[in-house]
């Protein structure tokens, strides 16, 4: 069977993170949603996503295909229901499509139209699902727990140095990890330390927590659950209930709470986020599809930042701030709660357009520092997103 992870209308509620990736490429817990499905299915998957993303994230079609909603996380029960689908059957949960089995001839962009022709099967399974961007951090404790059980079942943790102090029995260390003179408290949730990671002296960690492959916690870092970092990140200062995607850095002091950072982001020294309003009201957050600020229903919400965006030293982000893709934010004072993609500036200098050619050159340099190639597919995605910023900036 050929498995394809599809994007539906929920991707718009997960912007700006889904500007540059399908939903299933979002890291949620320890793994991305795609990685979760591939482990449960014991099979590779491909994507049915937006046209401008399809070159980098292509679809693979075969005679028999199962389309799976990329915003949903797998469980053993859910996988069994999906694999039991017959031709032209759709697994649903109320009005939500979970999965559908289709022939190659029927496979096209119209997932919903194919669903209308098929026979519906109601799921009996419970599962995690990303409906809104704030779900990534607010449900991260559950995702970490599920991934921890999946990744560590039947395996033995590497030994940890006796210079460390550990509490709780759900601490798993992968081979190649270096941890010295730190405190790991897993009494409130599991702690997963990935391959070739470094936890420097004086770090204090409370679970649930995941430090993904080749990431570094710098000296005296203070980490509160439920937090995910990595892979290939450098993080210091104070972080609570946040998810930091791969190749992003917050290497210095400053507070990041109830936040999500995309890939290739960098927070300058002493960047701070507010995650609670002085009135203790629910946080309102910019919604791309609604083109307005919406009630999140959560009291704590800090910063949502798209890929390749950066902040200068001493930057202050207000409660419930959304920063788009490839924005460069700096200057004293609080910044606006919505900063469109490809913006440059701050409260003092004002916001200007980040020139596309300059942005491409910066991205090439950033990639080269990690021995990666910023290729044509990435450049085309950048160009497409840049062309969307005119509308956002008018708003």
């Amino acid at each position: 069977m050929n498995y394809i992870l599809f994007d539906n209308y929920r991707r718009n509620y997960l912007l700006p993170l889904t500007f540059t990736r399908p939903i299933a490429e979002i890291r949620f817990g320890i793994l991305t949603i795609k990685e979760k499905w591939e482990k449960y299915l014991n099979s590779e998957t491909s994507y049915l996503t937006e046209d401008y993303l399809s070159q980098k994230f292509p679809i693979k079609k075969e005679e028999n295909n199962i389309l799976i909603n990329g915003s949903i996380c797998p469980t053993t029960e859910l996988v069994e229901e999906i694999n039991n689908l017959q031709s032209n059957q759709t697994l649903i949960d109320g009005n939500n499509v979970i999965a559908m089995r289709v022939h190659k001839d029927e496979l096209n962009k119209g997932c919903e139209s194919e669903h209308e022709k098929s026979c519906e099967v109601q799921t009996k399974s419970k599962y995690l699902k990303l409906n809104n961007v704030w779900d990534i951090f607010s449900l991260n404790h559950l995702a970490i727990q599920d991934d921890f059980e999946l990744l560590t079942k039947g395996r033995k943790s590497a030994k940890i140095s006796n210079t460390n102090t550990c509490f709780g029995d759900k601490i798993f260390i992968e081979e190649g990890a270096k941890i010295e003179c730190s405190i790991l408290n897993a009494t409130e949730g599991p702690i997963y330390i990935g391959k070739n990671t470094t936890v420097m002296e004086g770090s204090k960690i409370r679970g649930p927590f995941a430090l993904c492959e080749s990431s570094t916690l710098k000296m005296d870092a203070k980490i509160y659950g439920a937090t995910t970092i990595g892979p290939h990140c450098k993080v210091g200062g104070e972080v609570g209930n946040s998810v930091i995607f791969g190749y992003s850095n917050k290497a210095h002091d400053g507070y990041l709470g109830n936040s999500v950072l995309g890939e290739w982001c960098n927070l300058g020294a002493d960047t701070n986020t507010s995650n609670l309003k002085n009135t203790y009201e629910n946080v309102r957050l910019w919604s791309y599809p609604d083109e307005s600020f919406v009630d999140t229903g959560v009291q704590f919400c800090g910063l949502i930042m798209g890929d390749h965006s950066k902040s200068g030293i001493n930057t202050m982000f207000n409660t419930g701030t959304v920063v788009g893709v490839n924005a460069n934010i700096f200057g004293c004072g609080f910044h606006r709660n919505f900063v469109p993609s490809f913006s440059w500036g701050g409260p003092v200098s004002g916001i200007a357009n980040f020139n596309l050619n300059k942005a491409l050159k910066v991205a090439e340099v950033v990639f080269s520092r990690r021995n990666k190639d910023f290729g044509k597919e990435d450049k085309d995605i950048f160009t497409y997103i840049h062309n969307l910023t005119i509308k956002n900036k008018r708003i």
Side-chain angles (χ1 to χ4, degrees):
M1 187 59 62
N2 182 47
Y3 299 97
I4 302 167
L5 303 173
F6 72 86
D7 286 353
N8 63 1
Y9 73 100
R10 291 313 315 180
R11 78 170 293 274
N12 297 320
Y13 293 89
L14 294 164
L15 296 170
L17 300 169
T18 48
F19 270 136
T20 48
R21 59 176 57 78
I23 297 174
E25 279 289 312
I26 290 175
R27 189 165 299 277
F28 179 46
I30 303 174
L31 304 169
T32 65
I33 296 176
K34 180 179 191 284
E35 289 169 343
K36 300 175 200 288
W37 278 108
E38 291 185 340
K39 285 187 175 295
Y40 272 92
L41 296 168
N42 194 28
S43 173
E44 293 184 353
T45 61
S46 65
Y47 298 101
L48 178 57
T49 186
E50 298 294 303
D51 287 343
Y52 78 95
L53 294 173
S54 61
Q55 291 300 311
K56 184 174 181 180
F57 303 99
I59 187 172
K60 176 186 176 185
K61 300 179 183 181
E62 293 187 3
E63 288 301 311
N64 291 297
N65 307 276
I66 289 183
L67 299 175
I68 300 173
N69 189 329
S71 66
I72 291 173
C73 296
T75 66
T76 301
E77 296 76 17
L78 196 57
V79 167
E80 183 177 355
E81 289 182 326
I82 289 172
N83 282 332
N84 286 336
L85 287 174
Q86 301 302 306
S87 181
N88 291 322
Q89 280 190 330
T90 298
L91 184 67
I92 63 169
D93 185 0
N95 293 325
N96 295 316
V97 174
I98 297 174
M100 62 183 79
R101 183 169 176 173
V102 297
H103 190 268
K104 184 178 181 180
D105 295 338
E106 302 164 332
L107 182 58
N108 54 43
K109 275 280 190 178
C111 287
E112 299 306 324
S113 63
E114 292 302 329
H115 166 219
E116 291 172 2
K117 304 175 189 175
S118 65
C119 177
E120 295 179 347
V121 178
Q122 183 70 37
T123 184
K124 298 179 181 179
S125 302
K126 302 296 182 183
Y127 53 85
L128 290 177
K129 183 176 187 294
L130 294 181
N131 289 309
N132 297 288
V133 70
W134 55 86
D135 292 339
I136 298 171
F137 65 80
S138 62
L139 298 178
N140 198 43
H141 63 295
L142 299 174
I144 289 177
Q145 291 168 9
D146 290 347
D147 287 351
F148 185 89
E149 298 298 329
L150 177 66
L151 290 172
T152 65
K153 185 177 181 180
R155 300 177 62 214
K156 193 171 183 179
S157 171
K159 292 183 178 180
I160 191 169
S161 165
N162 59 13
T163 65
N164 300 288
T165 302
C166 297
F167 303 94
D169 56 358
K170 286 196 172 183
I171 299 175
F172 193 91
I173 315 297
E174 296 282 6
E175 294 294 335
K178 300 176 182 178
I179 314 171
E180 297 291 349
C181 304
S182 296
I183 300 174
L184 286 72
N185 184 348
T187 57
E188 299 295 323
I191 293 176
Y192 176 86
I193 307 296
K195 293 180 181 179
N196 303 320
T197 54
T198 300
V199 179
M200 293 185 179
E201 307 90 283
S203 294
K204 304 174 186 69
I205 301 169
R206 289 180 64 90
F209 174 68
L211 185 67
C212 300
E213 185 173 353
S214 299
S215 294
T216 297
L217 280 188
K218 301 191 74 176
M219 288 193 295
D220 295 322
K222 294 181 286 186
I223 310 296
Y224 300 85
T227 292
T228 299
I229 295 171
H232 302 278
C233 292
K234 292 182 180 179
V235 172
E238 185 177 4
V239 179
N241 190 200
S242 295
V243 178
I244 302 177
F245 292 5
Y247 298 96
S248 288
N249 293 332
K250 178 201 169 300
H252 305 287
D253 285 343
Y255 176 65
L256 181 71
N258 305 95
S259 299
V260 184
L261 303 185
E263 291 186 336
W264 305 101
C265 295
N266 188 75
L267 300 187
D270 205 31
T271 292
N272 285 284
T273 62
S274 169
N275 64 340
L276 176 66
K277 298 178 70 172
N278 289 342
T279 59
Y280 298 92
E281 296 173 321
N282 287 346
V283 177
R284 294 175 63 81
L285 199 69
W286 178 260
S287 168
Y288 284 87
D290 296 310
E291 296 186 350
S292 63
F293 291 90
V294 298
D295 188 343
T296 63
V298 298
Q299 194 176 42
F300 292 90
C301 183
L303 170 67
I304 309 296
M305 178 176 275
D307 289 10
H308 290 271
S309 288
K310 303 169 181 63
S311 70
I313 61 171
N314 300 315
T315 300
M316 297 190 296
F317 287 109
N318 237 320
T319 313
T321 295
V322 173
V323 176
V325 174
N326 214 98
N328 198 318
I329 306 303
F330 53 87
C332 62
F334 280 106
H335 296 263
R336 297 186 65 177
N337 290 58
F338 172 51
V339 180
S341 298
F342 290 88
S343 295
W344 180 287
V348 176
S349 62
I351 297 292
N353 182 59
F354 190 173
N355 179 270
L356 176 60
N357 289 331
K358 185 173 182 180
L360 291 171
K361 289 179 180 178
V362 171
E364 288 175 353
V365 172
V366 169
F367 267 52
S368 67
R369 293 178 69 245
R370 300 294 187 99
N371 297 315
K372 288 184 170 292
D373 178 40
F374 190 73
K376 183 180 184 301
E377 294 170 351
D378 298 294
K379 293 175 182 177
D380 288 345
I381 292 172
F382 256 44
T383 302
Y384 184 90
I385 298 168
H386 179 268
N387 293 337
L388 296 177
T389 61
I390 296 175
K391 177 181 177 182
N392 291 149
K393 287 173 182 175
R394 284 173 180 165
I395 292 169

